[in-house]
Amino acid sequence: MLPLAAPAAPATTTVGNPAVNISIFGAFVLVTLAITFKASRNNKSAADYYAAGRNISGTQNGLAIAGDYLSAASFLGIAGAIAIYGYDGFLYSIGFLVAWLVALLLVAELMRNTARYTMADVLAFRMRQRPVRTAAATSTLVVSLFYLLAQMAGAGALVTLLLGVTGELAQAVVVILVGALMMVYVLVGGMRGTTYVQIIKATLLIAGAGVMTVWVLGKYGFNLSALLGGAVDTSATQATPRDVLSPGAQYGATDISKLDFISLALALVFGTAGLPHVLMRFYTVPTAKDARRSVVWAIWLIGVFYLFSLVIGYGAGALVGADTILAAPGAVNAAAPLLAFELGGTILLGVIAGVAFATILAVVAGLTITASASFAHDIYASVIKKGQVNPNAEVKVARIAAIVIGAVSIGLGILALQAGLNIAFLVALAFAIAASANLPTIIYTLFWQRFTTQGALWSIYGGLITCVTLILFSPVVSGAPVNPATGKSPSLLQDVDFSWFPLNNPGLVSIPLSFFLGWLGTKLSKEQPDELKNAELEVRALTGIGAEKAVAH
């Protein structure tokens, strides 16, 4: 089943009062900007800019991780997927949540103990520095760009719905403005400012989702069964009736769609532990104990939110209806705002939309600082300058990189918005790349003493190139059947077809292949593992001793 595209007919519909929506948006932006500027006063070193001085508590970091992780895909995309497809849509929530167990058990504490600023600090520690850092930074940039693509599309869809912005040019301007705000957060606040924004945003998002959940359940006498029955009844009256309580509405029609579901599940479950912007959050805490506490807090907060998303999604399906959601600007991504308008009118819609907008800004800021830090720290400082660089110059390069990354993500976001793709689906592609290019190398580095530089390079580049290539030649980019309601294909590129890979998510192929290439590259390598570095890495991973000096030159 392909990602949804928005029917064009009622695209001029505006939900709520644009003046109220703009006012609430503006209030959120002003408050978060004020926090960012205040935080910037404490950015006196590279450690402050990259890792918030390593003095964020475990509880604060857990909230910030939840803020980083609960993106527009979690709030807008999953709610829409549940509203339209029911059971199959909720599988996104399950995958995103289960993934945290992998992160907690395998990487969280060990990554915090062994790295300084970026994922490459771990991967290159006992390898040849320059090639491994270059590979890790390349992977980080690609994953971040795919994730940014989804967030930008979500921002554009949200503002289009709430402000009545029509026309491709006007929507492009919206995405550009979001990108400009994102750059301000990163350039001024660094990791510390971004962390505080994410803490506030996570609190608001979970509280807002909680209010909507209680409100929806109240309409059905706080009886979940009655709510599910209402969703079934409403679905039966829609243009395309679906059994929203049974599996298969989205991923059960054909053998290909079933394989697509398995591929999606693999990407979601293994992707989190390889996401660079999530891994970077572990470096902001002072101790390994705080890293563990961060993940425990994050799991609880994210788990509660995804339970809320189940009620919100089925509530939108029952009270708004799939036809209305698909006919709105933003299509499937409009379910949560439309439900808020149905429940509480203009004010609740404005508040929920403001929270969603703050969600997007916080997430894109976290992604951008991760990608720019990886370029500045791993490529510029470690590869180009060979470690002989002033920390202030490194931070300056990171800020320039943030501008470039922001500009590229704006362009890609405009394409995704105009194609009408579900942003939860787009995020799943970023997860597939992270699980393919990063996770196998991280696991091998931390747990396999004989792992070599050649194995790391084969794993990273093999997983990355395979995953991106399969995406480029899949129906996501070209060749998806035209939607009769819109006359458009739900592919990024219209009127062309060069697809030959049938699955929308390539994780089923690229993740096992990356693990295999890491093993094969190591077995065929003539390089002897550095036993001293292996021993030092093991001690550091288990104890956290020397994390501040994690860069070997």
Side-chain angles (χ1 to χ4, degrees):
M1 188 74 183
L2 294 170
L4 293 168
T12 58
T13 303
T14 304
V15 179
N17 185 320
V20 173
N21 296 335
I22 289 176
S23 299
I24 297 175
F25 277 6
F28 277 105
V29 170
L30 289 175
V31 170
T32 52
L33 282 176
I35 293 168
T36 300
F37 277 102
K38 185 175 181 180
S40 69
R41 298 174 185 172
N42 295 318
N43 285 338
K44 299 175 182 177
S45 67
D48 288 328
Y49 185 80
Y50 290 141
R54 292 187 186 272
N55 60 8
I56 303 297
S57 72
T59 303
Q60 289 176 326
N61 200 47
L63 267 169
I65 289 173
D68 226 350
Y69 196 68
L70 296 175
S71 64
S74 298
F75 189 47
L76 303 178
I78 291 177
I82 294 172
I84 305 301
Y85 298 112
Y87 182 95
D88 280 16
F90 188 55
L91 293 174
Y92 278 97
S93 295
I94 296 171
F96 284 138
L97 181 59
V98 169
W100 273 105
L101 297 178
V102 178
L104 174 62
L105 295 174
L106 293 181
V107 302
E109 180 181 347
L110 302 180
M111 288 292 286
R112 182 266 159 207
N113 287 348
T114 52
R116 187 177 184 185
Y117 297 140
T118 66
M119 178 182 70
D121 287 338
V122 178
L123 302 186
F125 184 80
R126 60 187 179 95
M127 311 291 180
R128 296 200 305 275
Q129 292 280 310
R130 297 180 72 183
V132 174
R133 283 191 180 278
T134 302
T138 302
S139 170
T140 295
L141 290 169
V142 173
V143 172
S144 298
L145 280 174
F146 266 85
Y147 217 118
L148 281 167
L149 165 68
Q151 305 307 313
M152 291 297 190
L158 184 66
V159 178
T160 296
L161 173 70
L162 299 172
L163 305 186
V165 177
T166 58
E168 293 185 349
L169 179 60
Q171 292 176 352
V173 170
V174 168
V175 176
I176 290 170
L177 290 176
V178 172
L181 271 174
M182 165 193 75
M183 291 181 204
V184 171
Y185 285 121
V186 173
L187 297 177
V188 175
M191 179 58 85
R192 192 186 305 274
T194 301
T195 297
Y196 293 148
V197 170
Q198 286 164 342
I199 289 171
I200 292 171
K201 164 248 157 161
T203 304
L204 292 174
L205 180 62
I206 294 171
V211 168
M212 290 181 66
T213 298
V214 172
W215 205 321
V216 168
L217 288 174
K219 282 187 169 291
Y220 290 90
F222 294 95
N223 186 331
L224 181 61
S225 179
L227 167 62
L228 299 178
V232 170
D233 293 341
T234 302
S235 179
T237 66
Q238 304 299 294
T240 305
R242 298 180 178 91
D243 184 357
V244 293
L245 297 185
S246 300
Q250 184 177 13
Y251 290 108
T254 64
D255 290 339
I256 290 294
S257 66
K258 292 175 183 176
L259 285 176
D260 221 352
F261 165 67
I262 296 172
S263 191
L264 171 70
L266 284 174
L268 295 182
V269 170
F270 292 112
T272 296
L275 288 175
H277 69 291
V278 172
L279 296 175
M280 195 169 177
R281 289 240 55 92
F282 298 135
Y283 313 148
T284 64
V285 293
T287 67
K289 183 178 179 180
D290 285 309
R292 290 194 301 274
R293 184 180 291 121
S294 296
V295 180
V296 172
W297 268 97
I299 288 174
W300 276 105
L301 293 168
I302 293 166
V304 168
F305 177 83
Y306 283 140
L307 289 177
F308 290 163
S309 73
L310 176 68
V311 176
I312 292 171
Y314 274 113
L319 298 173
V320 180
D323 290 350
T324 302
I325 293 168
L326 295 178
V332 64
N333 305 313
L338 289 172
L339 175 62
F341 185 65
E342 180 73 22
L343 294 173
T346 300
I347 299 300
L348 182 61
L349 168 68
V351 171
I352 295 301
V355 169
F357 195 63
T359 294
I360 292 166
L361 289 175
V363 172
V364 295
L367 287 163
T368 305
I369 195 170
T370 298
S372 61
S374 182
F375 177 84
H377 181 63
D378 298 323
I379 294 181
Y380 175 75
S382 299
V383 175
I384 297 175
K385 293 294 185 178
K386 299 180 181 178
Q388 305 302 313
V389 62
N390 184 291
N392 291 332
E394 184 180 324
V395 171
K396 183 178 179 180
V397 170
R399 288 186 165 123
I400 295 171
I403 295 174
V404 175
I405 291 162
V408 173
S409 65
I410 286 170
L412 293 174
I414 290 170
L415 274 178
L417 172 63
Q418 293 174 355
L421 296 177
N422 183 343
I423 50 181
F425 175 82
L426 289 172
V427 165
L429 296 181
F431 273 61
I433 298 172
S436 303
N438 297 341
L439 183 64
T441 314
I442 291 171
I443 297 298
Y444 282 144
T445 299
L446 293 174
F447 298 104
W448 188 16
Q449 291 187 352
R450 301 200 60 80
F451 193 48
T452 63
T453 299
Q454 180 172 294
L457 296 178
W458 284 29
S459 180
I460 294 174
Y461 285 127
L464 180 65
I465 293 170
T466 300
C467 193
V468 173
T469 300
L470 293 180
I471 291 172
L472 289 176
F473 290 100
S474 74
V476 174
V477 175
S478 72
V482 172
N483 186 329
T486 64
K488 293 175 64 179
S489 164
S491 296
L492 280 175
L493 302 179
Q494 303 291 312
D495 304 322
V496 293
D497 183 3
F498 48 82
S499 65
W500 50 262
F501 184 67
L503 303 181
N504 288 304
N505 193 296
L508 185 62
V509 175
S510 58
I511 296 172
L513 180 63
S514 181
F515 274 104
F516 172 74
L517 288 173
W519 173 83
L520 182 65
T522 297
K523 288 296 183 181
L524 296 179
S525 174
K526 297 179 180 179
E527 176 186 355
Q528 292 299 314
D530 188 329
E531 293 184 4
L532 289 177
K533 282 292 182 184
N534 282 337
E536 185 178 347
L537 181 71
E538 185 175 4
V539 170
R540 178 170 289 158
L542 295 175
T543 66
I545 295 173
E548 283 290 344
K549 300 177 181 178
V551 184
H553 297 295

mmCIF file of all heavy atoms in Angstrom, residues 65-98:
data_model
loop_
_atom_site.group_PDB
_atom_site.id
_atom_site.type_symbol
_atom_site.label_atom_id
_atom_site.label_comp_id
_atom_site.label_asym_id
_atom_site.label_seq_id
_atom_site.Cartn_x
_atom_site.Cartn_y
_atom_site.Cartn_z
ATOM 1 N N ILE A 65 14.869 13.794 25.106
ATOM 2 C CA ILE A 65 14.847 12.684 24.150
ATOM 3 C C ILE A 65 13.428 12.468 23.634
ATOM 4 O O ILE A 65 13.200 12.278 22.432
ATOM 5 C CB ILE A 65 15.390 11.397 24.797
ATOM 6 C CG1 ILE A 65 16.898 11.501 25.019
ATOM 7 C CG2 ILE A 65 15.077 10.180 23.927
ATOM 8 C CD1 ILE A 65 17.483 10.343 25.794
ATOM 9 N N ALA A 66 12.458 12.484 24.557
ATOM 10 C CA ALA A 66 11.061 12.356 24.132
ATOM 11 C C ALA A 66 10.691 13.486 23.178
ATOM 12 O O ALA A 66 10.009 13.275 22.171
ATOM 13 C CB ALA A 66 10.136 12.360 25.353
ATOM 14 N N GLY A 67 11.175 14.710 23.490
ATOM 15 C CA GLY A 67 10.920 15.837 22.605
ATOM 16 C C GLY A 67 11.548 15.657 21.246
ATOM 17 O O GLY A 67 10.977 16.043 20.222
ATOM 18 N N ASP A 68 12.749 15.079 21.218
ATOM 19 C CA ASP A 68 13.437 14.829 19.959
ATOM 20 C C ASP A 68 12.755 13.732 19.159
ATOM 21 O O ASP A 68 12.683 13.783 17.931
ATOM 22 C CB ASP A 68 14.878 14.408 20.259
ATOM 23 C CG ASP A 68 15.893 15.135 19.388
ATOM 24 O OD1 ASP A 68 15.472 15.809 18.445
ATOM 25 O OD2 ASP A 68 17.100 15.034 19.681
ATOM 26 N N TYR A 69 12.248 12.726 19.870
ATOM 27 C CA TYR A 69 11.737 11.519 19.217
ATOM 28 C C TYR A 69 10.277 11.669 18.785
ATOM 29 O O TYR A 69 9.880 11.129 17.748
ATOM 30 C CB TYR A 69 11.876 10.352 20.190
ATOM 31 C CG TYR A 69 11.746 8.987 19.565
ATOM 32 C CD1 TYR A 69 12.713 8.509 18.696
ATOM 33 C CD2 TYR A 69 10.660 8.163 19.865
ATOM 34 C CE1 TYR A 69 12.612 7.247 18.139
ATOM 35 C CE2 TYR A 69 10.557 6.897 19.307
ATOM 36 C CZ TYR A 69 11.532 6.447 18.447
ATOM 37 O OH TYR A 69 11.428 5.196 17.894
ATOM 38 N N LEU A 70 9.487 12.355 19.610
ATOM 39 C CA LEU A 70 8.064 12.525 19.281
ATOM 40 C C LEU A 70 7.940 13.649 18.267
ATOM 41 O O LEU A 70 7.661 14.792 18.596
ATOM 42 C CB LEU A 70 7.262 12.819 20.544
ATOM 43 C CG LEU A 70 7.242 11.694 21.577
ATOM 44 C CD1 LEU A 70 6.513 12.129 22.839
ATOM 45 C CD2 LEU A 70 6.594 10.436 20.994
ATOM 46 N N SER A 71 8.150 13.309 17.035
ATOM 47 C CA SER A 71 8.205 14.293 15.966
ATOM 48 C C SER A 71 6.820 14.506 15.364
ATOM 49 O O SER A 71 5.813 14.000 15.849
ATOM 50 C CB SER A 71 9.162 13.793 14.886
ATOM 51 O OG SER A 71 8.649 12.607 14.305
ATOM 52 N N ALA A 72 6.807 15.267 14.282
ATOM 53 C CA ALA A 72 5.544 15.467 13.564
ATOM 54 C C ALA A 72 4.981 14.139 13.074
ATOM 55 O O ALA A 72 3.766 13.964 12.979
ATOM 56 C CB ALA A 72 5.773 16.409 12.381
ATOM 57 N N ALA A 73 5.875 13.192 12.778
ATOM 58 C CA ALA A 73 5.405 11.881 12.347
ATOM 59 C C ALA A 73 4.609 11.197 13.444
ATOM 60 O O ALA A 73 3.581 10.575 13.200
ATOM 61 C CB ALA A 73 6.599 11.013 11.957
ATOM 62 N N SER A 74 5.088 11.322 14.689
ATOM 63 C CA SER A 74 4.412 10.673 15.810
ATOM 64 C C SER A 74 3.041 11.268 16.060
ATOM 65 O O SER A 74 2.076 10.561 16.336
ATOM 66 C CB SER A 74 5.267 10.803 17.079
ATOM 67 O OG SER A 74 6.499 10.167 16.922
ATOM 68 N N PHE A 75 2.955 12.595 15.984
ATOM 69 C CA PHE A 75 1.703 13.255 16.338
ATOM 70 C C PHE A 75 0.729 13.325 15.166
ATOM 71 O O PHE A 75 -0.435 12.963 15.284
ATOM 72 C CB PHE A 75 2.007 14.662 16.855
ATOM 73 C CG PHE A 75 0.805 15.350 17.447
ATOM 74 C CD1 PHE A 75 -0.022 14.693 18.343
ATOM 75 C CD2 PHE A 75 0.502 16.656 17.122
ATOM 76 C CE1 PHE A 75 -1.123 15.318 18.901
ATOM 77 C CE2 PHE A 75 -0.590 17.300 17.677
ATOM 78 C CZ PHE A 75 -1.408 16.634 18.560
ATOM 79 N N LEU A 76 1.214 13.788 14.024
ATOM 80 C CA LEU A 76 0.333 13.992 12.879
ATOM 81 C C LEU A 76 0.211 12.730 12.023
ATOM 82 O O LEU A 76 -0.885 12.305 11.680
ATOM 83 C CB LEU A 76 0.854 15.157 12.020
ATOM 84 C CG LEU A 76 1.017 16.502 12.737
ATOM 85 C CD1 LEU A 76 1.574 17.546 11.779
ATOM 86 C CD2 LEU A 76 -0.303 16.971 13.313
ATOM 87 N N GLY A 77 1.360 12.132 11.690
ATOM 88 C CA GLY A 77 1.340 10.993 10.773
ATOM 89 C C GLY A 77 0.699 9.752 11.351
ATOM 90 O O GLY A 77 -0.123 9.099 10.699
ATOM 91 N N ILE A 78 1.045 9.402 12.602
ATOM 92 C CA ILE A 78 0.494 8.182 13.200
ATOM 93 C C ILE A 78 -0.990 8.343 13.491
ATOM 94 O O ILE A 78 -1.790 7.427 13.255
ATOM 95 C CB ILE A 78 1.275 7.805 14.468
ATOM 96 C CG1 ILE A 78 2.688 7.355 14.099
ATOM 97 C CG2 ILE A 78 0.560 6.702 15.237
ATOM 98 C CD1 ILE A 78 3.560 7.025 15.283
ATOM 99 N N ALA A 79 -1.384 9.505 14.016
ATOM 100 C CA ALA A 79 -2.814 9.733 14.264
ATOM 101 C C ALA A 79 -3.612 9.586 12.978
ATOM 102 O O ALA A 79 -4.700 8.977 12.962
ATOM 103 C CB ALA A 79 -3.026 11.124 14.864
ATOM 104 N N GLY A 80 -3.076 10.115 11.884
ATOM 105 C CA GLY A 80 -3.761 9.995 10.597
ATOM 106 C C GLY A 80 -3.804 8.561 10.109
ATOM 107 O O GLY A 80 -4.826 8.097 9.587
ATOM 108 N N ALA A 81 -2.692 7.844 10.272
ATOM 109 C CA ALA A 81 -2.653 6.454 9.820
ATOM 110 C C ALA A 81 -3.651 5.598 10.587
ATOM 111 O O ALA A 81 -4.324 4.731 10.015
ATOM 112 C CB ALA A 81 -1.236 5.897 9.989
ATOM 113 N N ILE A 82 -3.784 5.837 11.903
ATOM 114 C CA ILE A 82 -4.759 5.088 12.701
ATOM 115 C C ILE A 82 -6.178 5.477 12.294
ATOM 116 O O ILE A 82 -7.073 4.618 12.191
ATOM 117 C CB ILE A 82 -4.533 5.337 14.207
ATOM 118 C CG1 ILE A 82 -3.184 4.767 14.644
ATOM 119 C CG2 ILE A 82 -5.656 4.694 15.032
ATOM 120 C CD1 ILE A 82 -2.787 5.119 16.061
ATOM 121 N N ALA A 83 -6.408 6.765 12.060
ATOM 122 C CA ALA A 83 -7.743 7.221 11.665
ATOM 123 C C ALA A 83 -8.185 6.578 10.358
ATOM 124 O O ALA A 83 -9.363 6.230 10.190
ATOM 125 C CB ALA A 83 -7.754 8.745 11.533
ATOM 126 N N ILE A 84 -7.258 6.414 9.424
ATOM 127 C CA ILE A 84 -7.612 5.871 8.109
ATOM 128 C C ILE A 84 -7.588 4.347 8.109
ATOM 129 O O ILE A 84 -8.504 3.687 7.615
ATOM 130 C CB ILE A 84 -6.651 6.402 7.023
ATOM 131 C CG1 ILE A 84 -6.610 7.931 7.020
ATOM 132 C CG2 ILE A 84 -7.059 5.872 5.650
ATOM 133 C CD1 ILE A 84 -7.929 8.592 6.781
ATOM 134 N N TYR A 85 -6.523 3.762 8.676
ATOM 135 C CA TYR A 85 -6.306 2.319 8.550
ATOM 136 C C TYR A 85 -6.522 1.548 9.843
ATOM 137 O O TYR A 85 -6.500 0.309 9.846
ATOM 138 C CB TYR A 85 -4.892 2.037 8.041
ATOM 139 C CG TYR A 85 -4.623 2.605 6.680
ATOM 140 C CD1 TYR A 85 -3.724 3.650 6.505
ATOM 141 C CD2 TYR A 85 -5.275 2.101 5.563
ATOM 142 C CE1 TYR A 85 -3.482 4.175 5.249
ATOM 143 C CE2 TYR A 85 -5.040 2.617 4.304
ATOM 144 C CZ TYR A 85 -4.139 3.662 4.157
ATOM 145 O OH TYR A 85 -3.910 4.185 2.914
ATOM 146 N N GLY A 86 -6.684 2.241 10.968
ATOM 147 C CA GLY A 86 -6.933 1.554 12.218
ATOM 148 C C GLY A 86 -5.746 0.743 12.689
ATOM 149 O O GLY A 86 -4.658 1.274 12.924
ATOM 150 N N TYR A 87 -5.934 -0.548 12.811
ATOM 151 C CA TYR A 87 -4.925 -1.463 13.372
ATOM 152 C C TYR A 87 -3.564 -1.293 12.697
ATOM 153 O O TYR A 87 -2.535 -1.199 13.364
ATOM 154 C CB TYR A 87 -5.421 -2.900 13.207
ATOM 155 C CG TYR A 87 -4.517 -3.970 13.773
ATOM 156 C CD1 TYR A 87 -4.730 -4.476 15.047
ATOM 157 C CD2 TYR A 87 -3.465 -4.481 13.018
ATOM 158 C CE1 TYR A 87 -3.898 -5.460 15.567
ATOM 159 C CE2 TYR A 87 -2.629 -5.464 13.530
ATOM 160 C CZ TYR A 87 -2.853 -5.948 14.800
ATOM 161 O OH TYR A 87 -2.025 -6.916 15.305
ATOM 162 N N ASP A 88 -3.542 -1.262 11.364
ATOM 163 C CA ASP A 88 -2.265 -1.161 10.652
ATOM 164 C C ASP A 88 -1.557 0.156 10.961
ATOM 165 O O ASP A 88 -0.324 0.205 11.012
ATOM 166 C CB ASP A 88 -2.490 -1.290 9.141
ATOM 167 C CG ASP A 88 -2.655 -2.747 8.718
ATOM 168 O OD1 ASP A 88 -2.891 -3.590 9.597
ATOM 169 O OD2 ASP A 88 -2.557 -3.030 7.516
ATOM 170 N N GLY A 89 -2.307 1.212 11.170
ATOM 171 C CA GLY A 89 -1.701 2.488 11.514
ATOM 172 C C GLY A 89 -1.040 2.455 12.880
ATOM 173 O O GLY A 89 0.025 3.060 13.088
ATOM 174 N N PHE A 90 -1.652 1.725 13.825
ATOM 175 C CA PHE A 90 -1.104 1.654 15.184
ATOM 176 C C PHE A 90 0.211 0.877 15.210
ATOM 177 O O PHE A 90 0.996 1.010 16.153
ATOM 178 C CB PHE A 90 -2.122 0.999 16.125
ATOM 179 C CG PHE A 90 -1.732 1.062 17.576
ATOM 180 C CD1 PHE A 90 -1.436 2.272 18.181
ATOM 181 C CD2 PHE A 90 -1.658 -0.097 18.332
ATOM 182 C CE1 PHE A 90 -1.079 2.330 19.527
ATOM 183 C CE2 PHE A 90 -1.303 -0.050 19.680
ATOM 184 C CZ PHE A 90 -1.010 1.173 20.274
ATOM 185 N N LEU A 91 0.487 0.095 14.180
ATOM 186 C CA LEU A 91 1.740 -0.648 14.126
ATOM 187 C C LEU A 91 2.942 0.289 14.093
ATOM 188 O O LEU A 91 4.034 -0.075 14.539
ATOM 189 C CB LEU A 91 1.743 -1.577 12.899
ATOM 190 C CG LEU A 91 0.724 -2.717 12.955
ATOM 191 C CD1 LEU A 91 0.692 -3.479 11.645
ATOM 192 C CD2 LEU A 91 1.035 -3.663 14.107
ATOM 193 N N TYR A 92 2.762 1.502 13.564
ATOM 194 C CA TYR A 92 3.839 2.494 13.625
ATOM 195 C C TYR A 92 4.189 2.793 15.085
ATOM 196 O O TYR A 92 5.357 2.847 15.466
ATOM 197 C CB TYR A 92 3.415 3.789 12.933
ATOM 198 C CG TYR A 92 3.549 3.796 11.432
ATOM 199 C CD1 TYR A 92 2.462 3.528 10.604
ATOM 200 C CD2 TYR A 92 4.766 4.087 10.831
ATOM 201 C CE1 TYR A 92 2.575 3.548 9.229
ATOM 202 C CE2 TYR A 92 4.898 4.116 9.448
ATOM 203 C CZ TYR A 92 3.802 3.849 8.651
ATOM 204 O OH TYR A 92 3.930 3.867 7.288
ATOM 205 N N SER A 93 3.166 3.016 15.898
ATOM 206 C CA SER A 93 3.390 3.317 17.314
ATOM 207 C C SER A 93 4.128 2.177 18.001
ATOM 208 O O SER A 93 5.074 2.403 18.769
ATOM 209 C CB SER A 93 2.052 3.545 18.034
ATOM 210 O OG SER A 93 1.408 4.695 17.544
ATOM 211 N N ILE A 94 3.707 0.955 17.735
ATOM 212 C CA ILE A 94 4.334 -0.206 18.377
ATOM 213 C C ILE A 94 5.802 -0.295 17.985
ATOM 214 O O ILE A 94 6.688 -0.508 18.823
ATOM 215 C CB ILE A 94 3.577 -1.491 17.996
ATOM 216 C CG1 ILE A 94 2.144 -1.448 18.547
ATOM 217 C CG2 ILE A 94 4.317 -2.727 18.510
ATOM 218 C CD1 ILE A 94 1.256 -2.556 18.046
ATOM 219 N N GLY A 95 6.080 -0.125 16.697
ATOM 220 C CA GLY A 95 7.457 -0.205 16.225
ATOM 221 C C GLY A 95 8.341 0.866 16.830
ATOM 222 O O GLY A 95 9.465 0.595 17.288
ATOM 223 N N PHE A 96 7.842 2.113 16.854
ATOM 224 C CA PHE A 96 8.618 3.216 17.419
ATOM 225 C C PHE A 96 8.929 2.978 18.897
ATOM 226 O O PHE A 96 10.010 3.328 19.381
ATOM 227 C CB PHE A 96 7.864 4.535 17.267
ATOM 228 C CG PHE A 96 7.896 5.116 15.877
ATOM 229 C CD1 PHE A 96 6.755 5.670 15.311
ATOM 230 C CD2 PHE A 96 9.065 5.128 15.148
ATOM 231 C CE1 PHE A 96 6.785 6.221 14.041
ATOM 232 C CE2 PHE A 96 9.105 5.672 13.864
ATOM 233 C CZ PHE A 96 7.963 6.217 13.306
ATOM 234 N N LEU A 97 7.973 2.407 19.641
ATOM 235 C CA LEU A 97 8.165 2.205 21.079
ATOM 236 C C LEU A 97 9.088 1.020 21.371
ATOM 237 O O LEU A 97 10.012 1.127 22.187
ATOM 238 C CB LEU A 97 6.814 1.994 21.767
ATOM 239 C CG LEU A 97 6.870 1.790 23.287
ATOM 240 C CD1 LEU A 97 7.526 2.989 23.969
ATOM 241 C CD2 LEU A 97 5.473 1.568 23.845
ATOM 242 N N VAL A 98 8.862 -0.100 20.704
ATOM 243 C CA VAL A 98 9.696 -1.280 20.929
ATOM 244 C C VAL A 98 11.162 -0.972 20.612
ATOM 245 O O VAL A 98 12.087 -1.495 21.237
ATOM 246 C CB VAL A 98 9.193 -2.462 20.077
ATOM 247 C CG1 VAL A 98 10.186 -3.619 20.080
ATOM 248 C CG2 VAL A 98 7.835 -2.935 20.581
#
